[in-house]
Amino acid sequence: MRNNSSRNSRDAGIKRKYGFHNSKSLGQNFLTDDSVIEDIAAASEIGSDDLVIEIGPGMGVLTAAVAEYAGKVTAIEIDRRLIPVLNETLAGYDNVEIINADIMNTDLNQIIAERRPSESDGAVRIVGNLPYYITTPILMKLLEEHIDARTITIMMQKEVAERIMAEPGSRTYGALTVAVSYYCNVHHVREVSKECFSPVPKVDSTVLRLDVRQSRPVEVRDEKLLFETVKAGFGKRRKTMKNAITGLRGLDKGAAAAVLERAGIDPSRRAETLSLEEFAALADSVYQAVTE
Ligand code: SAM
């Protein structure tokens, strides 16, 4: 662990000056370890023409690191008490813009469209040490809104990363695994001990880089129906697939068994044993049943 004591004591002074206290409910566990900050910035593969969107800059330690590589950084922070703090900690960077907003209510594609460098081939990179309380909703928003980014490098609770990286048949394999693997190739960057944050959280973390796929790994007739099928499957995790998808788009038990059989899936299997390819075949079989 490499602790930058001069930066950390500067930040403690700035916090005192603004009377800032970390908010537990906003997931404000700030990074204090230099090697982690550098590893996230380096793993993001940021080029000098790239636009970086940072989710939750906190006091700006990661913002400053990515600003060293990027053409422009736009950082979105919900806590308005942090805006004067960030203006001070990032005063030396003229390529950084701070937006005070809730990421969940932000139209990221519009932000990207307005800022993407027009005369260059710069990519968009999303980075963030995500607040624990909202990691999965933020990730699902980025994926479902088809955010026009090349990479998403994010730190999250270790357990969430394990779910993302899970193999079919394992205990942690679920709807999140299937959704992420549909949209992205997953690259494990590093593990991060809870001692690398202030205040120290209860859990360890993992950094992943999600490389957004240029084309989907499976073709489906109806993408929305694919995710409805995945949600139905895992919504009743302990049930057989036949029972889990009964009711999906009005399918009765007999029709549920028939669509599974047509997709080559034994109706007595459980969702955690189905691969992305099998969910895709099943979604197309449901599509056929409800449109024919
Ligand atoms: N990037 C900083 C770091 O690594 O030290 C801070 C990371 S801290 C885990 C998460 C940050 O996200 C906090 O600054 C918090 O205020 C911010 N945040 C929480 N919910 C948010 C939301 N809905 N939209 C934008 N920022 C949010």
Side-chain angles (χ1 to χ4, degrees):
M1 197 159 91
R2 273 196 291 134
N3 218 302
N4 180 330
S5 56
S6 69
R7 191 203 49 237
N8 289 335
S9 63
R10 177 205 69 171
D11 286 359
I14 294 175
K15 272 171 138 179
R16 267 197 306 280
K17 176 173 162 189
Y18 292 97
F20 179 81
H21 295 283
N22 294 48
S23 153
K24 210 173 173 181
S25 63
L26 288 176
Q28 289 177 344
N29 301 98
F30 294 161
L31 267 170
T32 54
D33 183 81
D34 268 2
S35 75
V36 178
I37 296 163
E38 281 159 18
D39 284 353
I40 298 174
S44 305
E45 299 185 341
I46 302 162
S48 56
D49 288 328
D50 289 355
L51 167 67
V52 173
I53 307 282
E54 186 190 4
I55 301 167
M59 293 195 66
V61 290
L62 183 56
T63 325
V66 295
E68 296 285 347
Y69 294 90
K72 184 169 175 54
V73 182
T74 297
I76 300 167
E77 172 57 58
I78 196 171
D79 189 347
R80 72 182 147 77
R81 300 174 306 152
L82 283 168
I83 306 306
V85 172
L86 285 162
N87 287 337
E88 185 159 340
T89 58
L90 298 169
Y93 295 90
D94 60 6
N95 59 344
V96 174
E97 168 196 31
I98 309 292
I99 297 178
N100 180 207
D102 179 345
I103 189 75
M104 296 308 292
N105 299 329
T106 301
D107 183 344
L108 279 177
N109 277 321
Q110 189 187 340
I111 288 191
I112 290 169
E114 288 167 358
R115 289 161 181 79
R116 181 190 282 283
S118 54
E119 295 291 320
S120 76
D121 56 358
V124 177
R125 313 278 180 180
I126 312 273
V127 303
N129 167 15
L130 298 184
Y132 291 147
Y133 78 102
I134 200 181
T135 299
T136 304
I138 292 176
L139 184 50
M140 289 312 295
K141 173 186 164 76
L142 298 175
L143 300 178
E144 284 172 356
E145 292 182 6
H146 298 163
I147 296 303
D148 184 13
R150 192 171 299 171
T151 55
I152 302 170
T153 311
I154 43 178
M155 177 141 58
M156 66 200 75
Q157 194 172 332
K158 187 181 168 75
E159 286 69 22
V160 178
E162 283 171 356
R163 280 165 49 207
I164 291 174
M165 293 185 297
E167 295 294 335
S170 69
R171 193 180 44 81
T172 47
Y173 182 77
L176 184 64
T177 324
V178 177
V180 174
S181 65
Y182 179 70
Y183 290 110
C184 305
N185 286 310
V186 181
H187 175 77
H188 176 269
V189 176
R190 63 169 288 170
E191 299 298 310
V192 180
S193 152
K194 51 180 174 283
E195 306 300 329
C196 298
F197 302 87
S198 171
V200 175
K202 288 200 177 72
V203 291
D204 292 325
S205 290
T206 302
V207 181
L208 297 181
R209 191 187 70 226
L210 311 178
D211 296 339
V212 181
R213 294 179 188 271
Q214 296 310 300
S215 60
R216 305 281 180 247
V218 289
E219 291 264 328
V220 283
R221 307 283 289 274
D222 180 346
E223 196 172 290
K224 194 165 162 278
L225 179 56
L226 170 65
F227 288 101
E228 273 177 52
T229 308
V230 170
K231 265 186 204 144
F234 288 105
K236 298 167 191 160
R237 212 183 158 88
R238 293 207 304 278
K239 293 197 173 177
T240 63
M241 279 305 288
K242 181 176 120 183
N243 287 334
I245 66 161
T246 296
L248 171 66
R249 297 266 175 124
L251 296 177
D252 62 21
K253 264 198 175 18
V259 295
L260 281 155
E261 272 155 17
R262 182 167 52 205
I265 299 164
D266 180 337
S268 66
R269 284 174 63 189
R270 287 180 167 69
E272 63 257 36
T273 69
L274 265 62
S275 65
L276 172 61
E277 289 72 19
E278 287 176 310
F279 272 115
L282 177 58
D284 279 352
S285 179
V286 174
Y287 182 89
Q288 203 178 326
V290 298
T291 53
E292 70 192 7

